[in-house]
Amino acid sequence: MDLLTNLFGIQVQSEDWNKQNRLPLYIAGSYDFATVTLNGCRCIVLIPREELVTLPALKKEIKKIQEIDRVPVVLKLPTISDYRRNKMIENNIPFITDRQVFLPFMGTFLAKESGEEKELKKFMFSTQQLILLYLYQNKKKLYVSEATRLLPFTAMTMSRAVKQLEATGLFHVTKDGVNKVIESYYARPELYERLKEHLSSPVRRIGYLKKSEVTNEMVIAGESVLAEETMLNPGRTATYAVYVKVFNKELLMNELVDPDEQVRIELWEYEPKQFSVDNMADRISVALSFLENEDERIESAVEELLEGVWAG
């Protein structure tokens, strides 16, 4: 509460709030409670013991508390995302962090959170795969335990990926019992567009390979997928993708000599078979492989490809 004294010259007095036993257990067990008097204005401060619940649930919890003690209820948080901050302000829910104050009954000071000063640029590829899983499962909620089962990550890698998603302000992470749940605020097409600046082409390197050396570890990719799924005419050379860690790079040729005898190979940063269907690399990753492409024919085909994803 030092920020209040420094900013507004407010005298802060604090003592325990001892009415938790009148609250439902799920609320009483989720917070530490204190009665705080700010320049003579009494309020209840809630300090979450775990991840904060969704906004609708929070409003219901505050209402329950105010049925017992009719004073303002203030959330004390270590930090807050842009999205949650804006939604809290829209709903007139007071909060205090180490750098921000929103007390509509007294005063407001909104600075950047220290974590926000570091611009979020490109995602880790593990985060990108978690996004693909979320987009393809086409459900509002994704359980982290299910994602951990389906993706080849350690628990630590999954935790970092979830934190990167949350840092965008486009997702929130809640709990369903003991299970963490990822949920986005946006429908899939809009979510993809908002995330695209953080996503990367999966392609690390491109080369050529003899047709006779194509294996089951490879799937159709690139323009070959566009030719299968859109109105784009097929090229003479087929394109395949393979996970860079399972490919013998000594087989890769830098030059296309004979399109009848060679295929184009993309070495991917993650397993292209992970979300593949019908021996084709997943369509979102294929779209991302053309991020730097400025050919209008390709751009149009990519849009058509993604429309098929969102319609599915």
Side-chain angles (χ1 to χ4, degrees):
M1 297 292 181
D2 291 343
L3 187 58
L4 294 174
T5 302
N6 295 337
L7 286 175
F8 305 119
I10 291 175
Q11 297 301 311
V12 180
Q13 297 176 311
S14 180
E15 59 187 75
D16 291 339
W17 189 71
N18 297 315
K19 300 179 182 179
Q20 295 97 313
N21 59 347
R22 296 166 60 182
L23 290 170
L25 285 175
Y26 73 91
I27 300 177
S30 297
Y31 303 94
D32 292 322
F33 298 82
T35 298
V36 175
T37 303
L38 309 172
N39 271 11
C41 179
R42 182 172 166 273
C43 58
I44 299 168
V45 172
L46 307 184
I47 304 172
R49 292 179 178 175
E50 51 193 31
E51 293 177 67
L52 200 57
V53 296
T54 62
L55 190 69
L58 179 61
K59 291 166 71 174
K60 290 177 182 177
E61 292 179 353
I62 290 173
K63 184 178 178 181
K64 290 276 188 187
I65 294 167
Q66 289 182 318
E67 287 172 358
I68 297 170
D69 202 340
R70 296 184 178 278
V71 297
V73 173
V74 180
L75 271 292
K76 175 70 175 74
L77 306 168
T79 187
I80 189 169
S81 68
D82 281 345
Y83 186 87
R84 187 180 284 275
R85 177 188 64 195
N86 293 339
K87 297 302 288 186
M88 298 265 278
I89 292 171
E90 284 176 20
N91 287 271
N92 212 40
I93 299 175
F95 64 85
I96 299 170
T97 76
D98 293 339
R99 296 174 59 84
Q100 304 196 58
V101 176
F102 176 64
L103 301 175
F105 54 89
M106 184 167 295
T108 297
F109 175 79
L110 302 174
K112 275 189 175 292
E113 296 287 352
S114 57
E116 294 171 6
E117 293 169 2
K118 297 179 181 178
E119 182 185 356
L120 179 63
K121 294 182 180 178
K122 295 296 184 180
F123 287 135
M124 302 179 296
F125 280 106
S126 53
T127 306
Q128 185 157 316
Q129 291 172 81
L130 181 57
I131 288 166
L132 291 174
L133 179 62
Y134 184 89
L135 292 171
Y136 282 125
Q137 58 113 37
N138 197 15
K139 296 178 183 176
K140 196 69 176 172
K141 296 181 178 181
L142 173 64
Y143 284 81
V144 173
S145 57
E146 177 73 357
T148 302
R149 184 179 68 81
L150 294 172
L151 295 173
F153 303 158
T154 63
M156 181 175 292
T157 298
M158 178 62 73
S159 177
R160 289 172 179 166
V162 171
K163 285 180 179 177
Q164 271 204 313
L165 287 194
E166 200 170 14
T168 65
L170 303 175
F171 295 84
H172 60 253
V173 180
T174 57
K175 279 195 173 180
D176 180 0
V178 298
N179 297 310
K180 280 190 176 183
V181 183
I182 302 167
E183 185 173 356
S184 176
Y185 305 102
Y186 300 96
R188 292 190 301 160
E190 184 176 359
L191 177 62
Y192 174 78
E193 289 302 319
R194 289 174 176 268
L195 287 169
K196 197 159 64 172
E197 65 178 306
H198 306 303
L199 301 173
S200 303
S201 168
V203 182
R204 178 190 290 187
R205 186 177 168 189
I206 295 170
Y208 298 91
L209 185 71
K210 293 178 182 178
K211 284 184 178 180
S212 60
E213 292 173 333
V214 172
T215 70
N216 291 333
E217 293 174 332
M218 302 170 190
V219 292
I220 299 167
E223 288 191 30
S224 294
V225 170
L226 296 184
E228 288 278 348
E229 297 290 294
T230 75
M231 299 296 291
L232 187 74
N233 290 325
R236 191 171 177 185
T237 306
T239 297
Y240 288 83
V242 65
Y243 186 28
V244 66
K245 291 187 178 179
V246 301
F247 181 73
N248 180 1
K249 299 175 190 62
E250 292 181 3
L251 298 176
L252 197 68
M253 293 177 277
N254 295 324
E255 185 180 9
L256 177 62
V257 177
D258 187 344
D260 293 324
E261 295 293 331
Q262 292 171 285
V263 296
R264 182 176 179 272
I265 288 289
E266 296 177 349
L267 306 189
W268 278 27
E269 294 280 2
Y270 50 86
E271 176 57 75
K273 296 184 72 174
Q274 178 127 29
F275 303 102
S276 65
V277 178
D278 297 330
N279 200 42
M280 287 190 291
D282 78 90
R283 289 174 286 179
I284 298 174
S285 291
V286 169
L288 292 171
S289 73
F290 292 104
L291 277 176
E292 304 300 322
N293 190 289
E294 297 181 355
D295 185 326
E296 291 183 3
R297 294 179 313 106
I298 299 295
E299 289 179 356
S300 177
V302 167
E303 287 179 10
E304 185 182 345
L305 183 73
L306 289 173
E307 285 171 5
V309 176
W310 313 140

